[in-house]
Amino acid sequence: MIQHLLEVDGAHLSRLEDLRLITGTGKYASDWNLPGQLHACFLRADRAHAKILAIDVAAALKHPGVVAVYTGEDAVGAGYTKPMTMLAFKGKDGMEPRLPERPVLAHGRVRCIGEPVAMVIADSALTAQDAAELIAIEYEDLPVVVDPELALAAGAPQLHDNVPGNMTFEYEAGDAAATEAAFAKAVRVSRLKLAVTRVAPSPLEPRACLVAYDPKTETYTVHVHVQGVNMMRKQLAAYTGVPEEKFRIMARDVGGAFGQRSLAYPEYCMQMLAAKKLGRPVKWVSSRSEGFLTDSHGRANYVTGELALDNDGKFLGMRLDWIADMGAYMTPTGPVSHLRNPTVCLTGVYRIPAIYGRWRTVLTNTNPIAAYRGAGRPDIAYVIERLVDQAAADSGIDVVEIRKRNFIPPEAFPYKTPTGSIYESADLPGLFDKALALADWNGFAKRRAATEKKGLLRGIGISSVIENTGAGLFPKDTVAIDVAADGAITAYTVSHSQGQGHETTFAMIVAEALGVPVEQVRIRQGDEDRPLFGNHTGGSRSTVGAGSACHLAAVKVIDEGRGLAALDLGVEPSQVEYANGAFTSRASKRSVPLKDLAKAKTFSVTAEGSFSSTFPNGCHIAEVEIDPATGVTKIVSYATVDDCGRVINHTVVEGQMHGAVAQGAGQVFGEQVVYDQVTGQLLSGSFADYPMPRAGFLCDIRMEEHPTPSKVSPLGVKGMGESGCTASLAALTNAVLNALRPLGISHLDMPLTPAKVWGAITTAQARQ
């Protein structure tokens, strides 16, 4: 079976890790067990906003099998109240972030449904669950606000004393005066108010964590799913005050992440407290219902956008007023991803001379928001591309033509945007033309006519986007490579896969650099026996960062091996050449294979590199059919052309694209976290209420590449993992509105459910 996987073209190599995963021999967070472990269950708030007047845990403590019960008093007593923040810059007029405390168990007040209030520790998970139901809590209900715009209004319920007006941060980017001047001379201004809806990432693997404490070394071993061990360690240390070196973060396989796995959640910290106090490991496995309630949500941005045009349809300026719902507390990644990433790509793929954006991050009685696949980049791309389509409709200019008139031309790269970003390389017109051809744009009118004969509506939509990838929390990425006596080559990385195929892609990079078969290379991710400095997986940065470091480490293996081979060959190192896994003397032509060299002396190397942002870009074109009798929308065509620099493995890239487009389509046509406006109760807390995209939801996706190599990475790669999300939101929404615009429908917010689309159609028909 393994041999079969390898007998393919290298650029389309099947994923090496899949045999383990599809045969059930993977190991996920809930698969870890330790001798003598106890089990935790969390009692969660059943209301969105209330004072905690009293907690009676006596009955729970008497329940057979219960070892301990902890409340907010224990959390505050331990000092576990202040999570880490990545928001390290000042806001408008020098504003400092207002950071509310978040005790890992609620203390004094609950601020959202599902907030953990107490933790029961017992000898089994079911016993802990039974005992949690015996805890009695007396609440005093408080007013609730779940809408971020209403949370900013005068007289709104206040969530935290140190956050007046519920606004934690106000930020601005661009030039307000220049933008005002551009709008003053505009011939036409297009305006939209857009909601980028709140979503639940819902990865396949529910959250789980197992914590053990060693009193001799004062060390915590934490088995948990991660996007990178260093990111998890740093957050746990910040939350608990335990030094970073006192953590061993253990993870192997991770069943999906999408930004949600990047956080150190309150539950993990409470398990640390219990494991230390009780002297036994403590395990917790989340239910899917808990996941909907408490796993970080994504998106939840509300944007008013304006685009100013001259008489020729050229863009003069753009102005955005952006409200980012943060939920009841600030997560480490939530605010920064909704501020930094949109700012970096605020101009999109267009030459817009004057830009100004204002951001406000707001607290509501809802679950906290964190980074979600794309982390602000899909949001800004959606806003820009919806505005461009609206401008085309307002001005009567074709949607293709208006884009062509405003693209940043190839000769302008590297291009400095009005907000100071440097787009390194792109061929936007060339890529765009290739996408139009792939989608058969010119044949659309004929297809629409055929669809109309069937009594259906047909629409086509474009989304041309650029995104910043590659930036990370740590300034360097480090990779170590061991060459063993049996010839095995093992590369150690900090970046951790959650389904992206790192074990394949990184092995291909190392194998190519060393000229050895890929089956000779193994990848070890987040191995705590080989602690390394470097970044987690996130922001489409893994191949740019860790992949590039893999290449540099492989080159260093050759340099190190050349000196050793020179001794064997009796020549100076400068006289030794390396190719295809062997060192050869130029003079004698004698060779020493790398694997034989390691038999005499096993050796290791470590390499590091600093890699800034890259800027992948792409154009997605979607076609949909809508049944006006039911409002049901079917995706009938989807074409993508992307520039992600050099492609290491086409199969992996195609898989990333399929998954990301499916997530975007899920948000466009169904996914939305909904809270009751009065009570703050979660109304979409199961897959019965929260529709996920399923197999067959998408049509076949046609993909082509239009690469311009990156100079940031020695491999020439750019990020890829999130581009499908970044482009699909606008492509699909624009396609639906293109179908509906002849009926007089110019705007609908996601999700475009059958009920919403049917309602808009029937209302429009009644008007006509």
Side-chain angles (χ1 to χ4, degrees):
M1 179 71 173
I2 293 176
Q3 185 62 31
H4 171 71
L5 290 174
L6 299 175
E7 288 175 349
V8 292
D9 169 36
H12 292 83
L13 179 70
S14 296
R15 301 194 334 166
L16 302 176
E17 53 268 70
D18 284 354
L19 179 62
R20 179 180 80 251
L21 300 177
I22 65 175
T23 56
T25 55
K27 192 160 189 176
Y28 296 89
S30 65
D31 294 326
W32 294 96
N33 292 288
L34 294 172
Q37 70 188 19
L38 297 167
H39 297 266
C41 178
F42 290 90
L43 178 66
R44 301 185 181 279
D46 62 359
R47 57 206 68 202
H49 200 194
K51 291 180 180 179
I52 302 173
L53 301 180
I55 300 180
D56 185 351
V57 302
L61 280 169
K62 293 177 183 177
H63 189 72
V66 170
V67 177
V69 179
Y70 298 95
T71 67
E73 293 286 346
D74 301 288
V76 172
Y80 295 1
T81 62
K82 296 180 180 179
M84 170 185 160
T85 180
M86 295 171 60
L87 193 57
F89 48 85
K90 293 184 179 182
K92 183 178 180 181
D93 299 325
M95 180 181 181
E96 296 282 354
R98 300 165 179 163
L99 302 175
E101 290 194 346
R102 184 187 186 182
V104 293
L105 290 178
H107 182 254
R109 197 194 301 193
V110 296
R111 293 177 173 86
C112 63
I113 292 290
E115 185 172 359
V117 179
M119 178 179 71
V120 178
I121 306 295
D123 55 14
S124 76
L126 291 177
T127 298
Q129 185 176 339
D130 287 343
E133 296 180 2
L134 301 176
I135 298 174
I137 305 179
E138 183 182 353
Y139 289 109
E140 179 186 319
D141 288 328
L142 297 171
V144 169
V145 61
V146 299
D147 183 309
E149 289 187 281
L150 295 179
L152 289 171
Q158 297 297 290
L159 272 70
H160 297 271
D161 293 340
N162 68 326
V163 186
N166 295 317
M167 186 176 73
T168 61
F169 198 57
E170 184 173 9
Y171 179 73
E172 63 181 352
D175 188 325
T179 304
E180 185 67 31
F183 273 79
K185 64 181 182 181
V187 172
R188 182 174 288 103
V189 173
S190 292
R191 185 180 186 275
L192 281 174
K193 187 175 183 180
L194 301 165
V196 188
T197 45
R198 175 186 285 255
V199 293
S202 304
L204 190 63
E205 179 190 11
R207 273 199 295 140
C209 182
L210 172 61
V211 179
Y213 178 72
D214 183 347
K216 294 180 181 178
T217 61
E218 299 181 324
T219 298
Y220 294 88
T221 299
V222 183
H223 298 272
V224 66
H225 29 228
V226 298
Q227 295 183 217
V229 294
N230 289 347
M231 181 74 158
M232 182 60 67
R233 182 187 296 108
K234 184 172 283 293
Q235 289 184 70
L236 287 173
Y239 219 148
T240 64
V242 175
E244 289 187 43
E245 62 271 17
K246 294 298 182 179
F247 287 95
R248 285 177 57 83
I249 310 298
M250 310 295 289
R252 186 177 172 189
D253 298 312
V254 181
F258 318 123
Q260 187 203 73
R261 307 297 198 203
S262 64
L263 300 182
Y265 287 87
E267 291 90 347
Y268 309 160
C269 300
M270 279 308 301
Q271 288 174 260
M272 287 173 53
L273 186 150
K276 181 177 180 179
K277 284 192 173 185
L278 301 175
R280 294 171 65 182
V282 176
K283 182 174 182 176
W284 170 70
V285 179
S286 170
S287 67
R288 184 61 71 179
S289 296
E290 284 181 292
F292 274 106
L293 281 169
T294 66
D295 293 358
S296 64
H297 290 166
R299 311 285 191 240
N301 291 300
Y302 304 86
V303 187
T304 300
E306 297 175 290
L307 187 61
L309 290 78
D310 69 12
N311 199 47
D312 295 323
K314 291 286 188 71
F315 302 156
L316 300 176
M318 185 175 70
R319 193 159 48 200
L320 303 180
D321 187 0
W322 191 298
I323 297 174
D325 184 357
M326 291 288 100
Y329 302 97
M330 301 271 273
T331 65
T333 61
V336 69
S337 64
H338 287 77
L339 299 171
R340 182 179 65 87
N341 286 342
T343 300
V344 171
C345 293
L346 197 56
T347 189
V349 295
Y350 306 107
R351 238 179 185 164
I352 308 178
I355 292 178
Y356 176 73
R358 176 199 185 199
W359 283 259
R360 287 170 286 173
T361 56
V362 182
L363 298 179
T364 59
N365 293 116
T366 60
N367 189 49
I369 294 287
Y372 173 61
R373 196 169 191 171
R377 300 191 297 273
D379 310 69
I380 185 61
Y382 178 74
V383 170
I384 293 172
E385 287 302 286
R386 288 282 292 108
L387 272 174
V388 170
D389 256 37
Q390 187 62 46
D394 292 344
S395 63
I397 303 172
D398 179 75
V399 293
V400 168
E401 178 60 27
I402 200 169
R403 285 173 168 83
K404 287 187 172 183
R405 292 183 191 181
N406 289 284
F407 278 142
I408 303 166
E411 63 271 14
F413 290 90
Y415 179 76
K416 185 173 183 179
T417 73
T419 52
S421 303
I422 305 294
Y423 295 170
E424 55 165 339
S425 64
D427 175 18
L428 301 171
L431 184 149
F432 189 65
D433 287 341
K434 186 180 285 188
L436 294 173
L438 181 64
D440 185 22
W441 181 273
N442 292 334
F444 172 71
K446 185 177 180 180
R447 296 191 294 277
R448 171 177 263 181
T451 295
E452 288 175 348
K453 289 181 180 179
K454 297 186 292 183
L456 304 176
L457 306 173
R458 193 177 187 108
I460 192 167
I462 304 179
S463 179
S464 293
V465 302
I466 193 166
E467 54 181 337
N468 56 303
T469 68
L473 179 64
F474 298 90
K476 295 179 181 179
D477 290 284
T478 307
V479 166
I481 293 181
D482 291 349
V483 183
D486 62 357
I489 297 163
T490 304
Y492 298 86
T493 77
V494 175
S495 184
H496 205 107
S497 175
Q498 314 104 41
Q500 296 95 334
H502 291 178
E503 292 176 48
T504 301
T505 303
F506 293 169
M508 290 177 67
I509 292 169
V510 173
E512 180 187 56
L514 294 177
V516 300
V518 71
E519 59 263 38
Q520 194 174 334
V521 182
R522 291 291 179 266
I523 304 299
R524 296 288 179 264
Q525 305 174 87
D527 190 327
E528 288 286 49
D529 292 327
R530 294 295 298 272
L532 296 168
F533 191 78
N535 284 284
H536 73 309
T537 295
S540 298
R541 71 167 326 281
S542 294
T543 307
V544 176
S548 295
C550 281
H551 173 80
L552 296 177
V555 171
K556 199 168 181 178
V557 166
I558 297 172
D559 292 340
E560 182 86 5
R562 181 176 282 112
L564 298 174
L567 295 175
D568 276 11
L569 297 170
V571 296
E572 291 291 323
S574 62
Q575 298 302 306
V576 178
E577 297 177 339
Y578 180 85
N580 301 319
F583 296 92
T584 304
S585 167
R586 288 200 189 103
S588 67
K589 302 304 180 185
R590 286 177 55 221
S591 293
V592 180
L594 176 61
K595 59 182 180 180
D596 289 349
L597 191 66
K599 288 179 182 177
K601 182 180 179 182
T602 300
F603 63 95
S604 303
V605 303
T606 301
E608 64 180 29
S610 296
F611 310 100
S612 59
S613 289
T614 62
F615 288 88
N617 53 92
C619 178
H620 291 208
I621 299 177
E623 286 187 45
V624 299
E625 282 185 346
I626 301 172
D627 184 347
T630 63
V632 172
T633 302
K634 181 181 179 182
I635 304 168
V636 294
S637 174
Y638 202 97
T640 80
V641 177
D642 283 272
D643 170 13
C644 60
R646 179 192 168 199
V647 174
I648 304 297
N649 185 301
H650 292 269
T651 300
V652 169
V653 166
E654 290 166 8
Q656 291 272 32
M657 181 62 73
H658 274 275
V661 171
Q663 281 186 267
Q667 182 173 2
V668 170
F669 293 114
E671 291 185 57
Q672 183 182 21
V673 174
V674 180
Y675 289 93
D676 183 88
Q677 293 286 316
V678 176
T679 66
Q681 291 289 337
L682 181 63
L683 303 180
S684 55
S686 75
F687 289 133
D689 313 298
Y690 187 92
M692 295 283 284
R694 291 168 169 80
F697 186 76
L698 286 177
C699 60
D700 287 339
I701 299 177
R702 288 166 288 157
M703 302 181 206
E704 288 188 8
E705 296 150 7
H706 192 75
T708 60
S710 169
K711 295 180 181 179
V712 168
S713 159
L715 298 170
V717 298
K718 301 177 182 178
M720 180 63 200
E722 294 158 306
S723 61
C725 263
T726 301
S728 60
L729 296 182
L732 291 165
T733 304
N734 282 341
V736 171
L737 290 172
N738 178 258
L740 299 178
R741 199 165 260 116
L743 301 178
I745 302 168
S746 61
H747 173 64
L748 290 174
D749 271 324
M750 299 183 286
L752 304 177
T753 60
K756 183 181 289 186
V757 172
W758 177 83
I761 291 172
T762 54
T763 299
Q765 289 172 337
R767 284 199 305 265
Q768 292 179 345

